[in-house]
């Protein structure tokens, strides 16, 4: 599980006509839920991307509002992007954001002890219509992982859901280890051994010496129609 001092927040992705975006961004800046530079960045994006960025930054700012004061971090700076595309947060905290078409979620924690980075991923649980599309199992699972999910089959909702749990967990792990490797990590370079308690064993199959002493903890839970997965890297 994520540590107790991790704050998880959510924000609804706005669905407004193009002509209302300027007013929405102005109101968000006025209320303090967006920094002026975050709003300026959002204005230059296509509408769908703009909507998820706005919701994601609002969720991050909400979480920072709880974590930052105790960690001695400022709330005045904009949350822009690192050269790897992750949220650029104050160095005394770590955090991650994930967003889908209707929902954004953020997790922020003080960087204390061995904790280095957090990764978060949000995926919608499969529906009956999803069974019409080919399974992604062969593309994202190692041989051992594929054998594990085969107990539910490729063409059942339970099977697809277990594949998506693997997908979400791996996405969260990638975010938690990206600062160490700074490259695209293939799905088969992380192997998961799932258990019924939602706390999988994570094995990094990467060649980089930079992760040789990195330990990753991960977990997931179901929240209504969503799969929420998280990972923490420790050193």
């Amino acid at each position: 599980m994520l540590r107790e001092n991790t704050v998880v927040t959510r924000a609804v992705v706005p669905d407004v006509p193009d002509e209302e975006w300027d007013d929405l961004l102005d109101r968000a800046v006025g209320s303090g839920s967006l920094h002026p530079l975050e709003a300026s960045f959002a204005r230059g994006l296509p509408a769908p991307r703009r909507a998820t960025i706005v919701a994601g930054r609002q969720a991050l700012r909400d979480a920072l509002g709880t974590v930052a004061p105790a960690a001695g971090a400022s709330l005045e700076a904009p949350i822009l992007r690192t050269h790897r595309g992750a949220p650029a947060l104050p160095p005394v905290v770590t955090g991650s954001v994930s967003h889908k078409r209707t929902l954004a979620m953020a997790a922020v924690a003080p960087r204390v002890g061995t904790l280095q980075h957090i990764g978060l991923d949000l995926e919608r649980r499969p529906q009956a219509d999803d069974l019409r599309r080919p399974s992604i199992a062969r593309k994202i699972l190692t041989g051992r992982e594929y054998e594990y999910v085969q107990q539910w089959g490729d063409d059942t909702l339970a099977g697809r859901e277990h594949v998506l749990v693997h997908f979400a967990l791996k996405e969260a792990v990638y975010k938690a280890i990206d600062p160490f490797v700074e490259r695209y990590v293939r799905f088969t370079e992380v192997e998961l051994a799932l258990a019924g308690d939602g706390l999988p064993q994570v094995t990094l199959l990467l060649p980089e010496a930079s992760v040789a002493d990195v330990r990753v903890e991960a977990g997931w839970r179901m929240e209504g129609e969503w799969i929420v997965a998280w990972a923490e890297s420790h050193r």
Side-chain angles (χ1 to χ4, degrees), residues 3 112-117 173 176-177 180 200-204 210-218 231-235:
R3 57 190 55 223
V112 295
T114 62
L115 177 65
Q116 298 296 306
H117 306 287
V173 170
I177 65 173
F180 298 113
Q201 177 182 335
V202 180
T203 302
L204 303 181
S210 58
V211 294
D213 60 347
V214 172
R215 173 175 53 88
V216 177
E217 298 177 358
E232 296 178 347
S233 57
H234 294 262
R235 171 180 275 173

Side-chain angles (χ1 to χ4, degrees), residues 215-229:
R215 173 175 53 88
V216 177
E217 298 177 358
W220 86 96
R221 64 173 177 261
M222 303 298 183
E223 292 190 6
E225 63 182 320
W226 301 101
I227 300 168
V228 181

Side-chain angles (χ1 to χ4, degrees), residues 83-102:
H83 70 286
R84 294 288 299 164
L89 298 170
V92 293
V93 303
T94 178
S96 184
V97 63
S98 183
H99 30 64
K100 289 296 179 278
R101 189 174 60 84
T102 60

Side-chain angles (χ1 to χ4, degrees), residues 61-229:
R61 285 204 160 273
D62 191 17
L64 275 173
T66 299
V67 176
S74 171
L75 294 172
E76 302 302 318
I79 305 172
L80 300 179
R81 296 192 295 181
T82 68
H83 70 286
R84 294 288 299 164
L89 298 170
V92 293
V93 303
T94 178
S96 184
V97 63
S98 183
H99 30 64
K100 289 296 179 278
R101 189 174 60 84
T102 60
L103 181 66
M105 181 177 290
V108 176
R111 185 175 276 121
V112 295
T114 62
L115 177 65
Q116 298 296 306
H117 306 287
I118 288 176
L120 183 72
D121 191 61
L122 183 67
E123 301 294 334
R124 191 180 296 274
R125 298 174 72 175
Q127 305 297 314
D129 286 349
D130 296 321
L131 296 177
R132 299 176 183 176
R133 292 184 283 273
S135 172
I136 62 172
R138 290 287 191 183
K139 295 180 179 179
I140 71 161
L141 301 179
T142 66
R144 290 182 181 179
E145 292 168 342
Y146 188 76
E147 288 180 8
Y148 173 78
V149 301
Q150 281 308 292
Q151 61 187 296
W152 293 280
D154 282 338
D155 296 319
T156 67
L157 282 177
R160 295 292 178 92
E161 186 161 275
H162 279 83
V163 171
L164 271 181
V165 167
H166 280 77
F167 180 90
L169 281 166
K170 292 190 179 201
E171 288 286 336
V173 170
Y174 301 153
K175 293 179 181 180
I177 65 173
D178 185 80
F180 298 113
V181 296
E182 295 195 327
R183 68 167 174 87
Y184 170 76
V185 176
R186 298 189 303 275
F187 281 102
T188 53
E189 290 185 291
V190 171
E191 186 167 71
L192 305 169
L194 270 62
D197 59 4
L199 298 175
Q201 177 182 335
V202 180
T203 302
L204 303 181
L205 306 174
L206 287 77
E208 284 88 353
S210 58
V211 294
D213 60 347
V214 172
R215 173 175 53 88
V216 177
E217 298 177 358
W220 86 96
R221 64 173 177 261
M222 303 298 183
E223 292 190 6
E225 63 182 320
W226 301 101
I227 300 168
V228 181

